[in-house]
Amino acid sequence: MKRSIFALGMMTAVGLLPAACGPESQLDGEIAGPGLEAMVSKPGSEDTNGTEKRAWHAWRDALSLALRMRLLQSDGTINPDILDFEILNAGGAVTGHEVFDHAVRCALAKGTVVTHVGKSYEGRGMVSGASVWKTQPLPVEVRDHVLECVIAFVNDKMDGVSVLLTGEHVRDDGLDHGDFMFSEALWCADAMAGGAVDVYVTRSFATRCGMDPEDALEQRYCHQEHACDLNYMGYLDNHRDCEGDERTGHYTCGGKSCTMTWLRDPKPEWCANVVVWPPPTTSSSPPPPPTSSWPPPPPIPQ
């Protein structure tokens, strides 16, 4: 009951509940999509942003390789082969400390601490099966999940942005996630391709965002336009090879488990309103159905 009341208050606060009864409202469409299912408890792990875009894209290849090696030596120090990638090098314009820190948070068990040159990195055990990275290389699918976990927190909007991760491979942190009411996207990483990622936007996010959803996700994740290995796949519900549960956020695409991100904010800062979306329509014709392409196709001549 606590979560339902909280979620109801959130919906009222962001203007999702209609003021009075009447014809079918926009809320009906929102409930039908993956946007308000947080009224039901979702198992998952939450954390706050911590990785700048430029740092992620500078060091994601190094992290992908590091996950293929054991992290620690028998004396508890970091594997020198991983240090050779210089991801923890203090010099240079873009250091890899944030990337490594979130990789440890995602992969290693809660309470596990790794130290190097006076810095400490503590695990939160967010990805199931990844804690063995301490002593052995990770299997490829687990490497994908760790990369998805780090990707979820890549964003230059660093202050106060919390993200919830859900998926069959995401450990439940035991917290109340009732305020993560708004689904964002499904992320399917490929460690063998250096961390390239397919992203499937939820229809609910696209409706709320106010700009082309592909541009919004690129703005959130990419440091250079169209040059960051973000493969935009369109709407999640348009893909027959993607199956899942909108309430729990557990999805697979092509039989592979992927990671869904959820937000507290119905319209996050990376929805910059550069493009009004969906485009305005006249009263003489109904709006076109949403598609996975942008911009929408022109209307059929009458």
Side-chain angles (χ1 to χ4, degrees):
M1 180 61 70
K2 173 185 173 184
R3 295 177 182 179
S4 297
I5 291 173
F6 185 86
L8 182 62
M10 286 288 292
M11 285 187 289
T12 304
V14 299
L16 293 176
L17 288 180
C21 297
E24 182 178 1
S25 69
Q26 182 179 356
L27 177 63
D28 297 317
E30 278 289 299
I31 290 178
L36 299 179
E37 295 77 18
M39 294 173 68
V40 178
S41 175
K42 291 189 299 295
S45 285
E46 63 180 83
D47 205 350
T48 55
N49 275 16
T51 303
E52 293 180 309
K53 295 183 290 188
R54 191 167 62 137
W56 166 246
H57 292 288
W59 295 104
R60 62 189 178 98
D61 287 341
L63 177 60
S64 297
L65 292 172
L67 296 174
R68 300 173 67 175
M69 306 174 180
R70 60 182 295 171
L71 175 61
L72 302 180
Q73 299 189 101
S74 57
D75 62 359
T77 59
I78 295 178
N79 185 340
D81 291 334
I82 292 177
L83 294 177
D84 284 346
F85 298 141
E86 298 190 344
I87 192 170
L88 293 180
N89 190 337
V94 182
T95 69
H97 292 288
E98 295 171 355
V99 175
F100 183 78
D101 179 60
H102 244 101
V104 169
R105 293 167 74 84
C106 289
L108 298 191
K110 185 176 181 180
T112 301
V113 177
V114 175
T115 59
H116 180 69
V117 193
K119 289 184 177 290
S120 296
Y121 308 89
E122 185 170 350
R124 296 191 68 241
M126 302 177 74
V127 177
S128 298
S131 62
V132 296
W133 185 33
K134 280 178 57 178
T135 57
Q136 63 188 63
L138 292 179
V140 63
E141 186 171 2
V142 180
R143 298 202 304 267
D144 291 345
H145 296 329
V146 172
L147 293 178
E148 290 161 5
C149 180
V150 179
I151 285 168
F153 304 103
V154 172
N155 197 328
D156 284 350
K157 306 293 184 182
M158 302 289 287
D159 296 331
V161 180
S162 295
V163 181
L164 172 69
L165 275 59
T166 58
E168 294 179 356
H169 54 279
V170 177
R171 288 188 183 276
D172 185 13
D173 58 19
L175 301 178
D176 185 342
H177 304 135
D179 53 349
F180 287 92
M181 297 174 62
F182 306 103
S183 58
E184 181 192 33
L186 188 73
W187 307 81
C188 304
D190 185 351
M192 299 300 290
V197 61
D198 295 340
V199 60
Y200 303 79
V201 70
T202 67
R203 199 172 295 272
S204 173
F205 174 81
T207 301
R208 299 189 315 270
C209 189
M211 68 181 288
D212 172 5
E214 180 176 7
D215 287 346
L217 292 176
E218 185 170 274
Q219 178 173 288
R220 166 227 204 276
Y221 177 76
C222 294
H223 69 311
Q224 293 180 336
E225 187 175 7
H226 307 305
C228 61
D229 285 332
L230 180 70
N231 305 317
Y232 181 72
M233 306 298 288
Y235 288 120
L236 175 60
D237 59 7
N238 277 357
H239 289 266
R240 293 185 178 181
D241 66 335
C242 293
E243 300 178 345
D245 184 342
E246 294 175 350
R247 298 170 302 168
T248 63
H250 290 193
Y251 278 87
T252 62
C253 288
K256 173 188 170 183
S257 176
C258 298
T259 301
M260 176 165 275
T261 49
W262 299 76
L263 308 170
R264 289 189 173 115
D265 189 346
K267 189 172 181 178
E269 293 181 56
W270 48 97
C271 295
N273 286 328
V274 175
V275 179
V276 176
W277 192 92
T281 58
T282 64
S283 58
S284 59
S285 61
T291 68
S292 60
S293 62
W294 181 266
I300 299 174
Q302 299 295 320

